[in-house]
């Protein structure tokens, strides 16, 4: 028997991805896996991590290492969390609650999307110490205020405004699959549901996923996903809206999707506490820089004034350590968690967390770094 705390038949995220592809309908798999245009950005995101070399240091006792990290005055057990992923329960029914529950148990951040499919109050009850809320800025300012008020009342610990969806993306795979909510029974959707009976039975048991936290603001149920996102959200979050949120929200405020230095400066000027350097998993702009390239270009003062986090292309614990060598205190991986859910159902949440816990720990031991806090650019090979 292995002493590892995860199922060693699926020891890496690539194993979970392969299994997820078999177990869930193509429209759910494509929704998570898709990039945009030629889908080259996804590979570039991975490649950028591959190119970061770390030089190991030996002659050190590494029998015990500390992988915890402190951000916004709270220590998390692993420097790795669950980023916002809309429509989570489509990948696996009940995925969002399972992920939030697992995140609370593991003491890692869980970020609930505006376009999530579980009531935000239920998530706040399941993950009271680690839940953050991600805001897609509603067009309608009164809707924005109401949503922030609901999030505050529910007890979320941090608020993340996502900047990098000024418009809903045109993803050809999603368009071809005809994905709409509630599901429209097209021949593809019927066929895919028939050949994935476990997913279908679970979906029937849980009820069809829908954007429950913003449902009451939706007027047209005939809209595809991209149209709904475009009609609900402000076409480009403006600085006056960031200021409005800052005035309404006393807790940690984070901007997600930052890549340009001007936006870093504006984040500081507008009293933001942290940024997630991200290109949205290369789902919005295939030509964008990788998040690693953007992280490398952050000026020194950004690290002094903001908590720096990263996502887009993180697939291993080694990547989390690589990102820390470049100054990111916390990393997130969107698709990994949803490959885990697709592959293993609710057990997938724990599987992904434990894979990353193990890989981060081993990487630090391997390079001779006794704590994640100490990990810095001095380990970089170049
Ligand atoms: C299927 C899917 C849905 C997503 N939905 C949201 C969302 O609702 N809000 C948001 O801020 N980011 C969303 N993201 C982006 C993730 O938060 C994260 O930035 C991205 O997944 C990181 O890239 P990775 O998947 O390569 O790890 C989504 C990503 C995926 C894959």
């Amino acid at each position: 028997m292995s002493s590892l705390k995860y199922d060693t038949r699926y020891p890496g995220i690539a194993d979970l991805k392969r299994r997820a592809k078999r177990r869930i309908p193509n429209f759910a798999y494509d929704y998570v896996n898709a990039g945009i245009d030629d889908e080259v950005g996804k590979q570039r995101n991975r490649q950028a991590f591959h190119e970061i070399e770390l030089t190991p240091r030996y002659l050190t006792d590494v029998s015990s290492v500390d992988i915890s990290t402190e951000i916004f005055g709270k220590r998390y057990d692993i420097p790795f969390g669950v980023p916002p992923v809309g429509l989570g329960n489509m990948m696996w029914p009940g995925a969002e609650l399972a992920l939030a529950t697992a995140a609370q148990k593991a003491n890692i951040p869980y970020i609930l999307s505006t376009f999530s499919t579980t009531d935000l109050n239920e998530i706040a009850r399941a993950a009271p110490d680690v839940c953050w809320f991600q805001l897609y800025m509603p067009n309608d300012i009164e809707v924005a205020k109401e949503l922030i008020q609901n999030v505050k009342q529910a007890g979320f610990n941090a608020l993340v405004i996502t900047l990098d969806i000024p418009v809903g993306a045109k993803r050809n795979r999603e368009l071809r699959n005809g994905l709409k909510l509630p599901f429209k029974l097209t021949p593809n959707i019927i066929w895919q549901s028939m050949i994935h009976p476990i997913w279908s039975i679970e979906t029937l048991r849980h009820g069809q996923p829908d954007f429950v936290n913003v449902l009451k603001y939706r007027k047209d149920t005939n809209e595809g996903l991209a149209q709904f996102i475009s009609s609900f959200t402000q076409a480009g979050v403006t600085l006056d809206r960031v200021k409005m949120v800052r005035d309404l929200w006393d807790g940690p405020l984070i901007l997600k999707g930052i890549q340009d230095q001007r936006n870093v400066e504006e984040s500081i000027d507008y009293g933001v506490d942290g940024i997630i350097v991200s290109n949205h998993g290369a789902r919005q702009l295939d030509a964008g820089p990788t998040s690693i390239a953007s992280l490398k270009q952050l000026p020194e003062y950004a690290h002094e004034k903001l908590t720096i986090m990263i996502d887009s292309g993180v697939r291993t614990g080694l990547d989390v350590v690589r990102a820390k060598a470049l100054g990111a205190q916390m990393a997130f991986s969107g698709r990994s968690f949803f490959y885990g859910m697709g592959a293993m159902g609710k057990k997938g949440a724990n599987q992904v967390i434990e894979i990353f816990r193990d890989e981060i720990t081993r990487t630090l031991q391997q390079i001779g770094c006794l704590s994640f806090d100490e990990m810095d650019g001095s380990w970089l090979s170049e």
Side-chain angles (χ1 to χ4, degrees):
M1 268 292 281
S2 161
S3 62
L4 298 175
K5 292 193 183 128
Y6 47 90
D7 185 335
T8 52
R9 286 175 302 167
Y10 316 107
I13 301 307
D15 302 292
L16 295 170
K17 180 179 174 184
R18 269 191 297 277
R19 188 159 199 247
K21 187 165 191 206
R22 287 199 305 274
R23 290 225 321 161
I24 58 173
N26 70 349
F27 54 85
Y29 178 80
D30 280 347
Y31 167 67
V32 166
N33 186 43
I36 189 162
D37 290 321
D38 291 331
E39 305 201 10
V40 179
K42 278 196 315 175
Q43 295 151 28
R44 291 197 295 113
N45 277 348
R46 284 302 299 137
Q47 190 55 34
F49 277 98
H50 290 151
E51 281 164 14
I52 302 169
E53 291 177 13
L54 305 175
T55 304
R57 296 175 196 165
Y58 302 119
L59 299 171
T60 304
D61 174 1
V62 291
S63 47
S64 149
V65 297
D66 177 4
I67 68 166
S68 68
T69 190
E70 189 170 323
I71 53 174
F72 309 123
K74 174 174 165 59
R75 197 154 269 280
Y76 290 93
D77 284 3
I78 313 178
F80 173 67
V82 188
V85 167
L87 249 181
N89 291 352
M90 184 176 68
M91 269 305 262
W92 196 262
E96 289 164 355
L97 189 57
L99 283 167
T101 308
Q104 171 75 20
K105 190 159 158 250
N107 189 28
I108 63 170
Y110 173 83
I111 313 180
L112 185 72
S113 164
T114 299
F115 294 136
S116 54
T117 41
T118 311
D119 187 312
L120 61 87
N121 293 295
E122 202 177 347
I123 295 294
R125 281 193 297 273
D129 303 315
V130 300
C131 64
W132 303 1
F133 189 83
Q134 176 265 327
L135 183 71
Y136 276 132
M137 186 64 68
N139 246 327
D140 182 330
I141 198 161
E142 294 310 318
V143 171
K145 287 182 184 165
E146 187 173 283
L147 203 49
I148 294 166
Q149 189 52 29
N150 294 346
V151 168
K152 211 186 226 182
Q153 257 168 16
F156 280 80
N157 300 285
L159 189 61
V160 180
I161 306 176
T162 295
L163 305 182
D164 55 12
I165 301 225
V167 286
K170 170 183 170 278
R171 294 189 200 108
N172 295 348
R173 291 205 236 177
E174 279 170 21
L175 289 172
R176 274 194 296 273
N177 289 331
L179 192 56
K180 291 189 171 140
L181 284 188
F183 293 139
K184 293 274 173 299
L185 294 180
T186 62
N188 178 50
I189 290 193
I190 295 171
W191 172 244
Q192 286 293 322
S193 306
M194 278 167 64
I195 60 175
H196 297 98
I198 303 178
W199 178 92
S200 303
I201 290 165
E202 284 295 306
T203 297
L204 283 175
R205 212 163 62 81
H206 279 81
Q208 269 216 46
D210 213 335
F211 301 124
V212 289
N213 295 307
V214 292
L215 202 56
K216 64 176 178 179
Y217 310 117
R218 184 169 64 191
K219 286 156 201 124
D220 180 2
T221 54
N222 246 330
E223 288 175 322
L225 297 185
Q227 293 98 302
F228 171 61
I229 290 171
S230 295
S231 65
F232 178 83
T233 53
Q234 194 184 21
V237 178
T238 50
L239 277 170
D240 58 320
R241 288 295 185 95
V242 174
K243 180 173 182 320
M244 177 197 86
V245 178
R246 182 66 290 179
D247 291 343
L248 291 173
W249 181 263
D250 325 322
L253 179 63
I254 299 151
L255 296 185
K256 174 171 182 281
I258 298 270
Q259 296 209 274
D260 184 273
Q261 191 154 327
R262 276 160 290 202
N263 292 157
V264 174
E265 281 161 22
E266 284 155 349
S267 304
I268 296 168
D269 291 348
Y270 280 72
V272 164
D273 303 291
I275 58 174
I276 304 181
V277 178
S278 167
N279 64 17
H280 213 99
R283 291 164 64 78
Q284 292 295 117
L285 176 69
D286 216 29
T290 64
S291 50
I292 283 295
S294 304
L295 181 62
K296 279 185 183 164
Q297 279 166 11
L298 287 183
E300 196 46 45
Y301 64 78
H303 293 274
E304 285 157 17
K305 300 214 161 127
L306 296 164
T307 296
I308 309 293
M309 297 164 279
I310 190 171
D311 73 22
S312 300
V314 174
R315 292 292 177 274
T316 65
L318 170 59
D319 295 338
V320 177
V321 177
R322 284 165 155 155
K324 179 64 163 57
L326 297 169
Q329 290 279 122
M330 172 72 71
F332 298 88
S333 180
R335 292 188 184 88
S336 299
F337 277 106
F338 286 85
Y339 294 144
M341 302 310 296
M344 301 179 72
K346 292 178 190 164
K347 286 192 202 143
N350 202 45
Q351 177 85 1
V352 175
I353 293 171
E354 292 307 327
I355 287 174
F356 272 85
R357 190 202 300 271
D358 185 30
E359 291 177 354
I360 295 167
T361 307
R362 280 170 200 275
T363 302
L364 289 185
Q365 289 173 311
Q366 184 62 40
I367 62 174
C369 179
L370 296 182
S371 79
F372 189 75
D373 285 342
E374 278 171 32
M375 180 66 209
D376 62 20
S378 67
W379 265 271
L380 291 169
S381 304
E382 62 254 37

